[in-house]
Amino acid sequence: MNKRLYSLLTVLLLFCVSSALAEKQDNRKASEMYRQFRALYEKGDDSAFYQHAHAFEAYLKSTGDLKSYYKTMTNEGFYDIKQNHLFRAIQTAQTLDQEVRKNQSIDYYYLASGLMGNIYRASHDSRRAEQYFMQALDEVDDRDPKFTMVTQRDLAILLCLKNPSQAIDYATQSEKLAEKKKDIDNLSLSKAMKLYIQFMNRNKDDFDKTYREYDQLRQQGDSAFNHQYDRIVDIARLTFDGNYGEALDKLKEGRVYVDSSLVALYIYHQAGDVDGGFKAMKRRFVEMDSLFCMIQDANFNQMATERTLMRSREEAAANKKMVKRLTNWIIGIVVAFLIIYIMGRRRLVRIIWDKNKKLQTALERAEEMSRMKTAFINNMSHEIRTPLNAIGGFSSLLCQPGIELSEEEKKDMQERITYNVELITTIANEVMELSSSESETGLRPDSEMSDVVINDLCRKLMNTLENNTNEGVETRFITNVADDFTIRTHQSTVNRILTHVYDNAQKFTEKGSIELRCEHDQLAGQVRLIVQDTGVGIKQEDRGRIFSRFEKAEGNFKEGIGLGLPICKHLARSIGGEIILDPDYFDGCRFILSIPMMP
């Protein structure tokens, strides 16, 4: 038992270790693929990026990491926007939305909505961008605080000029959420966005207050502080302080991450420089025109490429579909023919097998009936003739005229006649009992079961049968269960089995002992009733056929037609039990009746 336990523990340990190693290897591979994904994202090599992105997405999907899979698709969409592939970005967003809905990943609907908002903002469609950003905020709820803060800042910059108060509200919400999450990165970005909105709407007092908070946070030197908007914040500070030249010089250095032409217009306006403002406005129109042309060219090129690919794919799909349809028809016809042929042959073979089986069964039953008939006639002719002769002889004697018998002789004749009548009755009862038991197939119904105190049943049986025991034979009952030990079984059937077996023991035991033993086998869930005697026993060559009908041990001239043990076998199986002759006991016979413990 201990060896098996140790083996099981060893197997479980090896399985856990191998699972941990496999998981560690998967994490290492995912990290390496993500690192390469980020490098290609920054590099801007379309061919290499898209090839690696699709491989990375396929790997994440195969490992079941749907969260990373969806976010990688979202980043692919951001790459499309960055490279001005807006048509492709829309396709990526639609594919992402379809994947999320197909997998019923309700918690990630917001990713596709947020991506669509960024696509329309890049296309300068502020109305649709606002709608998608609002939808994304409704869908994300509290699931992704960082996404919420970024989307709130996107809405803030989108509404900066259109609705300044609402823009400030979104920037403030992002700021409060960052403070709650103790996220210095997003806190610094939210405060900087708030400063930009206040700057563009000339709210100097609010700007001064927010600037002190921003500068104080920046001076703390926290490594998580994001300096992305430091330049535009400093430009705004210089503009409010009247240092317009320095502000414009700093603006020309670039990397302000906002609309630099719009900021320049605002600075020139504050400085009262109409010529400079006009030049800035002209430059803005030229830039916007170039930007729209570039976006339009990119989208038209992308659409033309996609249309060409789509057409070739449609043609290839149509050809493939036609070939597949023809192939399927041919395969279907061949398979149908084979199925019909095989089923026909199988049906014929099955009919032949069934007929042969029925013939074989009928032949075996006919042979068995013939054998049983012969055995029955032989046994009955011998077993019934002897008591009938005795009864007939005594009857003739009693009927002869002039015969005078003493009371003792009359009593002896009466006892002999009664004994032989009872013997014939017993033979008839055994034949009827065998016929009745064989007509009952399967287990006896549970409704016939009752609670049986097993020790009481055994003691009552011994008290009933003790009078028939030969003189000089000791009888005893041994039990290893308590007197109140109860089992649920068919009491009358158990009693009939024990009566047959105990009666056999009395019949063949001239000296020694007959023992009835009761044992409870908890491991097997059984109660065993054992009848053991020190009688003549059964020869080794006869032990295999003692449970067959009309079989009697060779050289055995006791009364009976050989039906007792077959009846016991059938009755034991009818209650879910079994009766056997102990093969290891040779001092007589030991029969073991096993009864299942019913709940």
Side-chain angles (χ1 to χ4, degrees):
M1 185 68 181
N2 289 336
K3 288 183 179 179
R4 291 180 63 188
L5 181 61
Y6 292 150
S7 300
L8 180 60
L9 290 173
T10 303
V11 170
L12 288 174
L13 180 61
L14 290 174
F15 175 76
C16 293
V17 170
S18 62
S19 298
L21 290 174
E23 184 177 357
K24 186 176 181 181
Q25 186 175 1
D26 287 343
N27 291 336
R28 190 183 299 116
K29 182 177 179 180
S31 299
E32 177 59 27
M33 292 186 78
Y34 177 74
R35 185 193 64 76
Q36 190 175 353
F37 176 85
R38 294 303 304 174
L40 292 171
Y41 183 96
E42 298 298 333
K43 187 178 180 181
D45 183 349
D46 285 1
S47 177
F49 173 80
Y50 287 126
Q51 183 179 359
H52 180 74
H54 296 159
F56 187 26
E57 289 163 7
Y59 173 76
L60 292 171
K61 192 174 182 180
S62 67
T63 59
D65 188 359
L66 292 181
K67 180 179 180 181
S68 300
Y69 168 62
Y70 298 143
K71 292 201 171 184
T72 302
M73 286 190 70
T74 305
N75 286 328
E76 182 184 343
F78 282 122
Y79 179 86
D80 295 333
I81 297 171
K82 178 184 174 185
Q83 302 302 120
N84 290 317
H85 303 326
L86 299 185
F87 180 75
R88 181 164 189 158
I90 290 176
Q91 289 184 315
T92 303
Q94 289 175 342
T95 303
L96 172 61
D97 186 67
Q98 290 170 1
E99 285 288 308
V100 171
R101 295 183 188 279
K102 182 179 72 174
N103 297 326
Q104 297 184 348
S105 303
I106 302 173
D107 294 345
Y108 299 104
Y109 282 175
Y110 67 90
L111 291 173
S113 301
L115 179 56
M116 288 297 293
N118 280 283
I119 292 170
Y120 282 113
R121 186 177 70 172
S123 303
H124 295 276
D125 189 343
S126 301
R127 182 179 61 82
R128 290 188 180 180
E130 182 181 353
Q131 289 176 353
Y132 275 106
F133 283 140
M134 293 290 292
Q135 181 179 335
L137 284 180
D138 288 339
E139 291 170 344
V140 70
D141 201 15
D142 296 327
R143 298 185 186 92
D144 193 339
K146 289 189 176 181
F147 177 88
T148 300
M149 289 183 278
V150 171
T151 305
Q152 287 169 341
R153 289 198 299 272
D154 288 336
L155 277 167
I157 198 168
L158 194 67
L159 299 171
C160 176
L161 299 178
K162 178 183 175 181
N163 193 336
S165 60
Q166 193 173 0
I168 287 292
D169 286 342
Y170 280 120
T172 302
Q173 291 175 27
S174 177
E175 180 184 12
K176 288 181 178 178
L177 184 56
E179 288 176 347
K180 181 180 178 181
K181 298 296 181 180
K182 297 181 181 179
D183 187 342
I184 301 299
D185 177 35
N186 279 287
L187 179 61
S188 58
L189 292 173
S190 300
K191 286 185 179 294
M193 185 54 59
K194 197 173 178 181
L195 286 168
Y196 173 70
I197 298 168
Q198 291 167 344
F199 165 63
M200 293 302 295
N201 289 280
R202 292 180 289 181
N203 298 327
K204 185 176 184 306
D205 293 339
D206 293 338
F207 178 88
D208 290 340
K209 179 182 176 183
T210 308
Y211 181 82
R212 286 192 296 271
E213 295 173 359
Y214 180 83
D215 194 52
Q216 183 179 0
L217 185 64
R218 179 168 52 179
Q219 294 301 324
Q220 290 178 2
D222 195 313
S223 60
F225 188 93
N226 195 318
H227 296 274
Q228 179 178 345
Y229 293 111
D230 276 1
R231 192 181 299 278
I232 188 61
V233 169
D234 293 339
I235 290 171
R237 178 77 274 169
L238 289 170
T239 303
F240 275 130
D241 291 343
N243 299 319
Y244 305 119
E246 292 182 39
L248 288 169
D249 290 340
K250 204 169 189 66
L251 182 63
K252 290 176 183 177
E253 295 175 7
R255 300 182 67 83
V256 293
Y257 299 102
V258 292
D259 191 336
S260 58
S261 298
L262 191 61
V263 173
L265 279 171
Y266 180 77
I267 295 172
Y268 281 121
H269 172 70
Q270 287 295 99
D273 187 349
V274 178
D275 290 338
F278 179 76
K279 291 178 182 178
M281 186 177 293
K282 182 180 179 180
R283 186 168 57 252
R284 176 175 172 77
F285 275 117
V286 172
E287 288 175 354
M288 291 295 294
D289 186 59
S290 300
L291 178 61
F292 282 131
C293 288
M294 183 175 61
I295 292 172
Q296 193 174 25
D297 287 343
N299 287 344
F300 277 128
N301 291 336
Q302 185 73 21
M303 289 175 68
T305 304
E306 288 291 332
R307 184 57 188 163
T308 303
L309 289 173
M310 193 179 299
R311 188 173 298 153
S312 63
R313 288 170 187 165
E314 287 173 355
E315 292 175 357
N319 293 333
K320 186 177 180 181
K321 192 173 182 180
M322 183 176 67
V323 172
K324 187 177 180 181
R325 189 183 295 114
L326 290 174
T327 305
N328 288 341
W329 271 104
I330 295 171
I331 293 173
I333 292 171
V334 173
V335 170
F337 174 76
L338 290 175
I339 290 173
I340 293 171
Y341 176 75
I342 292 170
M343 288 182 67
R345 283 189 59 87
R346 287 187 63 185
R347 184 171 175 274
L348 290 174
V349 171
R350 193 182 300 114
I351 291 172
I352 294 171
W353 283 353
D354 289 343
K355 294 291 184 183
N356 288 339
K357 190 174 181 181
K358 289 178 181 178
L359 289 173
Q360 184 66 30
T361 304
L363 179 61
E364 290 175 356
R365 291 186 64 180
E367 292 175 349
E368 176 67 13
M369 292 298 294
S370 176
R371 190 189 69 80
M372 286 180 61
K373 181 187 72 172
T374 303
F376 179 76
I377 292 172
N378 291 337
N379 279 279
M380 293 297 286
S381 63
H382 173 74
E383 297 297 335
I384 295 179
R385 183 175 57 195
T386 302
L388 284 177
N389 288 338
I391 294 171
F394 288 122
S395 299
S396 298
L397 183 62
L398 290 172
C399 293
Q400 287 182 7
I403 295 296
E404 295 182 3
L405 299 173
S406 65
E407 292 298 325
E408 185 177 347
E409 289 174 332
K410 289 180 181 179
K411 183 179 179 182
D412 181 57
M413 286 186 181
Q414 181 185 5
E415 288 178 352
R416 289 176 182 273
I417 292 171
T418 301
Y419 172 76
N420 283 281
V421 170
E422 288 177 351
L423 186 58
I424 294 173
T425 303
T426 300
I427 293 171
N429 287 338
E430 284 186 354
V431 172
M432 292 177 64
E433 189 172 8
L434 178 64
S435 175
S436 174
S437 64
E438 288 191 340
S439 66
E440 298 173 0
T441 58
L443 298 176
R444 293 181 179 274
D446 292 346
S447 59
E448 296 180 3
M449 298 173 70
S450 61
D451 293 335
V452 179
V453 180
I454 197 65
N455 285 348
D456 287 352
L457 182 144
C458 294
R459 289 191 180 103
K460 288 177 182 178
L461 175 70
M462 292 194 68
N463 290 337
T464 302
L465 301 176
E466 231 170 20
N467 294 332
N468 297 329
T469 305
N470 294 320
E471 291 185 7
V473 176
E474 180 187 358
T475 60
R476 55 178 174 267
F477 171 59
I478 301 174
T479 180
N480 70 350
V481 300
D483 281 343
D484 60 351
F485 183 77
T486 304
I487 64 171
R488 188 163 183 79
T489 187
H490 300 77
Q491 180 173 348
S492 60
T493 304
V494 174
N495 198 64
R496 284 163 65 190
I497 297 170
L498 289 178
T499 300
H500 277 294
V501 177
Y502 201 92
D503 183 61
N504 267 0
Q506 290 176 323
K507 190 185 299 181
F508 298 110
T509 306
E510 301 290 343
K511 59 181 179 179
S513 64
I514 301 174
E515 180 181 290
L516 175 59
R517 183 187 298 271
C518 178
E519 296 180 354
H520 179 207
D521 187 345
Q522 293 183 351
L523 187 61
Q526 294 179 339
V527 170
R528 286 199 289 265
L529 298 174
I530 303 168
V531 178
Q532 173 182 308
D533 62 58
T534 57
V536 296
I538 300 173
K539 295 179 180 179
Q540 187 68 33
E541 59 269 23
D542 294 332
R543 291 191 168 212
R545 56 187 180 88
I546 60 169
F547 288 105
S548 300
R549 287 165 293 192
F550 304 115
E551 293 288 350
K552 298 172 66 176
E554 187 178 348
N556 191 347
F557 298 103
K558 294 289 184 180
E559 296 90 349
I561 57 174
L563 292 179
L565 291 177
I567 291 172
C568 292
K569 191 79 169 178
H570 195 280
L571 291 175
R573 289 179 176 176
S574 72
I575 61 172
E578 189 59 79
I579 184 168
I580 63 169
L581 174 65
D582 190 345
D584 300 323
Y585 183 78
F586 297 99
D587 294 333
C589 289
R590 178 189 288 156
F591 288 93
I592 302 173
L593 172 63
S594 301
I595 307 172
M597 293 284 292
M598 295 297 180

